Amino acid sequence: MNDINESWGWVVSQVLNSLGVFETNPGGFSGEWAGSGKAQRVVSPIHGEVLATVVNVTPQEFDGILVKCHQAFASWKLVPAPKRGEVVKEIGDALRRNKAALAELITLEMGKTLREGLGEVQEMIDICDLAVGLSRQLYGLTMPSERRMHRLQEQWHPLGVVGVITAFNFPVAVWSWNTALALVCGDTVLWKPSSRTPLTAIACTKIAEKVLLEFGFDPAICSLAIGKGSDIGDLINTDPRVALVSYTGSVPGGRHVGKLVQERFGRHILELGGNGAVIVSDKADLDIAVPSIYFGAIGTSGQRCTTTRRIIVHESIAEAFKTRLLELYSRTAIGDPRDGKNLMGPLVDAVAVNTMLDAIETVKAQGGKILCGGEKLPAAGACYVTPCIAEVIGNLPIVKEETFAPLLYFMTYKTIEEAIALQNGVPQGLSSAIITNDQRESELFLSAAGSDCGIANVNTGTSGAEIGGAFGGEKETGGGRESGSDAWKAYMRRQTSVINFSGQVELAQGIILEL
Ligand code: NAD
C-alpha cells in the first residue's frame, strides 16, 4: 500500500480555502448562509482526519430555506429559457475554472481517486453544456386536431421546487445532473446532500451563488439544506411545496421516499441501487473484457451504482479469463487516492468495510469460494481493503443484494439464454453489459428477450455512463431517468391545449349540441 502524507494540513486548507469552505460552515443556504443545528465533523476516509465542521440546519431553518426557494421560483420561471441557459453556461464555466480544486475536495471527502474526481467534475461541466443547448429546445408537439380550424398542441412549463437528495458516492455530479436540467426548465433547486459529503455541496452551492448574483438573480434558486435524512429528508418528502423529489440512494431509502412523495401526489425520480453484471461470451475479445471488468469492479472502490458486481463467463473460457483477471487484481495499487499510482482508494467509512467483510462471510456460508482479496488493510484511522473476487454457482441470496464495496462474483454459463437469465435474475435493474464479437448474441442481449436493465452495453463495461443518454434503471433501481435524452421532461409540467380559430362551436368526438 502506497502512502503520501506530506503537508496534509496545508493541502487541505489550500483546497478548502480556494472553494470558500471554512473550518466551520453553516449547512443551509437560500440567499444567506444559516445553520444552528447539530455540528458534525467531516472526516476524510484517506487518513481519518477531520477536514472541517458543518452545522446542520434545524427544521425551522429548513422551512425558511424552502420558503425562499419557493418564492424564487415565482420569478425564475418567467425568465426566458435561453436566458436561464446563459446562467447554466456560466455555472459550467465556473466549474471549469474550479475543476482541479473541486476534484481534490471530492477525493478528500469521499476517497475516490483524483482521476475519478476530475472525471466527476467533467461530468458536471458536460451536463451544463447539454443543458445550455437544451434551453433552446424545450419543445412541445402539435398534433392534427380532429376538428376543422382547430389546433391541438402541447407545451412544457416549469414545475416548481426540485428537492435533490444525493448519495455520497457521486457527491456533486448527481446534483449537477438534476440542477443543470432543472434550472433551464425554470425550476429552483433545494439540495440535501449526503451527510458524509457536505463540504463538496457547500463548495458547489457557493459556485452557483456567485454566478446567480453576477447575473442579478435570486441566489435562493440554488438552495441547500444539510441535515439528517430522517429529519431534513423527510421534510422534503412530505412538503407539497416540493414539486419533484429527485432521490439518489439505497433501495430501502428509495422505498421510503417513494411512499411519502406518492402519498401527497408529488413527483419523484428514484435512482437506487444496482447490481451490474457483464456477460463474457466465448466469442469475446478478452483484451476488452478483462480491463473493462477490472475498472468496473474496482473503480471508486466498488462504490458506484453501476459497479460491475457479477461476471457471467462462458464455461469454455472461464479458466483463461479467471487467470488474467486474478493477475490484474494481484497488482492493484491501493492507497492514498491523491497519488496517481493508486487505482483504489479507501471505502467511505468503517461501516462500509464491515459490510464488505460480513458479506464475504455470508458468501462463504452460502457455498461461495473466495478467489482473492477481501482483507482490511492495516492503516490507522482509514478504511482500505483489498478487492475481492468470489466464485459462486448462480445468483446466491447474497449475490442478489448490492454490497457497496469491491466484491465481484464470478459465475459461469453454458448457453447465452442461461447467461441472460442469470443477468436478469436479481431484483435490481440498472446497468448490464455483454462482451462478444458475435452480432447475434449482442442483438439478442439488446432485444426485448435480453437485458432488463436501464443500461445495456456491448463491448464496454457497466460503469461510466455518458451524460448524453438518459440514466436510470428498472425494478428496484426505481425507474427514474436523469441526465440526457428527454429526461428533462420530468422537470417540467406538460400542458395540452386546443385552440379554436373556426369562429364556430364544434365539440370533440362529433357530439352535436342542439340548443
Ligand atoms: P443512502 O440511502 O444511505 O443515502 C442517500 C441519501 O438519502 C442521503 O442524502 C441520505 O441522507 C438521504 N436520506 C436518508 N434517509 C432519508 C429520508 N428518510 N428521506 C430522504 N432522504 C433520506 O445511500 P448512500 O450510502 O449515500 O449511497 C449509496 C447508495 O446509492 C447505493 O445503493 C447506490 O447504488 C445508490 N446510488 C444510486 C445511483 C443511481 O443513479 N441509481 C447513483 C449513486 C448511488
Side-chain angles (χ1 to χ4, degrees):
M1 185 172 137
N2 306 306
D3 204 7
I4 46 170
N5 252 322
E6 90 284 351
S7 58
W8 167 263
W10 185 82
V11 171
V12 168
S13 63
Q14 288 295 304
V15 173
L16 296 184
N17 289 346
S18 71
L19 293 165
V21 181
F22 306 108
E23 237 177 89
T24 302
N25 305 273
F29 177 76
S30 57
E32 281 159 18
W33 287 88
S36 62
K38 193 165 174 254
Q40 58 150 325
R41 297 187 316 161
V42 185
V43 174
S44 170
I46 299 178
H47 292 152
E49 291 184 30
V50 175
L51 294 171
T53 297
V54 172
V55 186
N56 289 346
V57 297
T58 62
Q60 293 73 24
E61 284 164 340
F62 171 82
D63 193 61
I65 289 168
L66 180 50
V67 165
K68 287 199 182 150
C69 192
H70 195 250
Q71 279 167 356
F73 173 64
S75 50
W76 181 243
K77 70 179 178 185
L78 301 180
V79 175
K83 290 264 175 270
R84 299 193 295 250
E86 284 173 25
V87 173
V88 173
K89 179 178 181 305
E90 187 48 39
I91 292 177
D93 286 345
L95 289 169
R96 277 186 180 88
R97 291 193 293 276
N98 287 286
K99 182 173 175 179
L102 194 51
E104 268 196 79
L105 183 55
I106 295 169
T107 296
L108 288 171
E109 194 173 36
M110 69 70 65
K112 68 174 64 173
T113 61
L114 191 53
R115 78 187 87 202
E116 290 188 68
L118 287 165
E120 177 159 358
V121 184
Q122 187 57 46
E123 216 169 316
M124 303 174 82
I125 294 166
D126 292 344
I127 191 74
C128 286
D129 286 350
L130 182 136
V132 175
L134 201 56
S135 70
R136 291 180 183 269
Q137 299 176 67
L138 302 169
Y139 49 79
L141 299 173
T142 56
M143 284 72 60
S145 169
E146 65 192 44
R147 289 172 275 183
R148 207 175 57 86
M149 301 297 199
H150 283 61
R151 177 152 51 86
L152 177 58
Q153 68 167 38
E154 64 182 19
Q155 54 179 342
W156 295 87
H157 290 306
L159 190 62
V161 175
V162 179
V164 177
I165 301 176
T166 54
F168 80 86
N169 65 324
F170 275 91
V172 290
V174 173
W175 169 75
S176 70
W177 295 346
N178 284 281
T179 300
L181 294 196
L183 292 193
V184 297
C185 290
D187 303 328
T188 56
V189 172
L190 173 50
W191 183 11
K192 196 215 83 61
S194 164
S195 298
R196 285 179 283 191
T197 53
L199 300 180
T200 43
I202 290 171
C204 289
T205 302
K206 290 202 167 177
I207 287 172
E209 174 191 10
K210 193 159 174 273
V211 172
L212 286 161
L213 284 173
E214 275 166 14
F215 275 81
F217 290 118
D218 184 347
I221 288 165
C222 286
S223 294
L224 177 72
I226 296 172
K228 275 180 71 180
S230 52
D231 48 40
I232 299 305
D234 271 344
L235 290 174
I236 293 177
N237 300 333
T238 50
D239 198 310
R241 288 170 293 181
V242 182
L244 167 68
V245 179
S246 176
Y247 175 86
T248 300
S250 60
V251 170
R255 193 168 274 128
H256 172 81
V257 172
K259 273 186 202 148
L260 290 183
V261 178
Q262 181 57 39
E263 184 90 355
R264 62 175 173 89
F265 296 109
R267 290 202 199 166
H268 53 62
I269 296 173
L270 298 178
E271 298 281 355
L272 313 179
N275 197 343
V278 180
I279 297 172
V280 186
S281 153
D282 51 336
K283 290 111 184 171
D285 181 342
L286 291 194
D287 289 341
I288 288 179
V290 174
S292 308
I293 288 167
Y294 180 61
F295 176 73
I298 65 128
T300 325
S301 301
Q303 300 169 114
R304 288 188 181 205
C305 52
T306 54
T307 289
T308 306
R309 307 209 177 276
R310 298 174 295 142
I311 36 176
I312 304 165
V313 186
H314 193 272
E315 59 178 11
S316 67
I317 57 156
E319 284 312 310
F321 177 82
K322 197 191 289 178
T323 306
R324 285 185 61 173
L325 193 63
L326 282 170
E327 193 277 323
L328 263 188
Y329 263 65
S330 70
R331 53 188 171 89
T332 303
I334 304 162
D336 191 320
R338 297 168 302 157
D339 184 342
K341 289 199 298 289
N342 292 327
L343 278 181
M344 241 181 78
L347 294 187
V348 70
D349 56 24
V351 175
V353 174
N354 289 336
T355 304
M356 175 173 172
L357 300 181
D358 287 350
I360 289 171
E361 290 312 309
T362 310
V363 175
K364 289 190 217 160
Q366 291 180 4
K369 182 176 144 203
I370 304 305
L371 299 180
C372 71
E375 296 103 21
K376 181 177 181 331
L377 292 174
C383 307
Y384 295 88
V385 294
T386 53
C388 177
I389 306 179
E391 186 160 4
V392 294
I393 298 174
N395 291 319
L396 300 174
I398 185 70
V399 176
K400 294 185 176 177
E401 292 175 26
E402 180 198 48
T403 301
F404 216 53
L407 169 55
L408 177 66
Y409 298 113
F410 180 102
M411 58 188 89
T412 60
Y413 75 91
K414 286 188 171 57
T415 66
I416 185 67
E417 290 76 15
E418 183 196 351
I420 290 171
L422 282 169
Q423 137 65 37
N424 292 344
V426 293
Q428 310 82 356
L430 180 56
S431 192
S432 61
I434 187 167
I435 312 289
T436 182
N437 283 331
D438 183 322
Q439 193 191 7
R440 285 168 70 180
E441 276 184 351
S442 60
E443 291 295 335
L444 179 68
F445 180 73
L446 297 179
S447 76
S451 165
D452 63 3
C453 291
I455 297 167
N457 293 334
V458 175
N459 287 332
T460 186
T462 58
S463 87
E466 295 182 30
I467 56 99
F471 180 87
E474 304 301 329
K475 303 193 288 186
E476 288 193 0
T477 303
R481 291 295 185 278
E482 283 173 347
S483 203
S485 184
D486 64 351
W488 61 270
K489 290 179 176 171
Y491 300 81
M492 302 199 85
R493 68 182 165 85
R494 186 194 307 241
Q495 185 176 71
T496 304
S497 312
V498 174
I499 299 116
N500 173 8
F501 55 98
S502 70
Q504 291 168 355
V505 174
E506 186 181 346
L507 300 183
Q509 290 87 45
I511 295 172
I512 308 290
L513 186 63
E514 289 175 353
L515 297 173

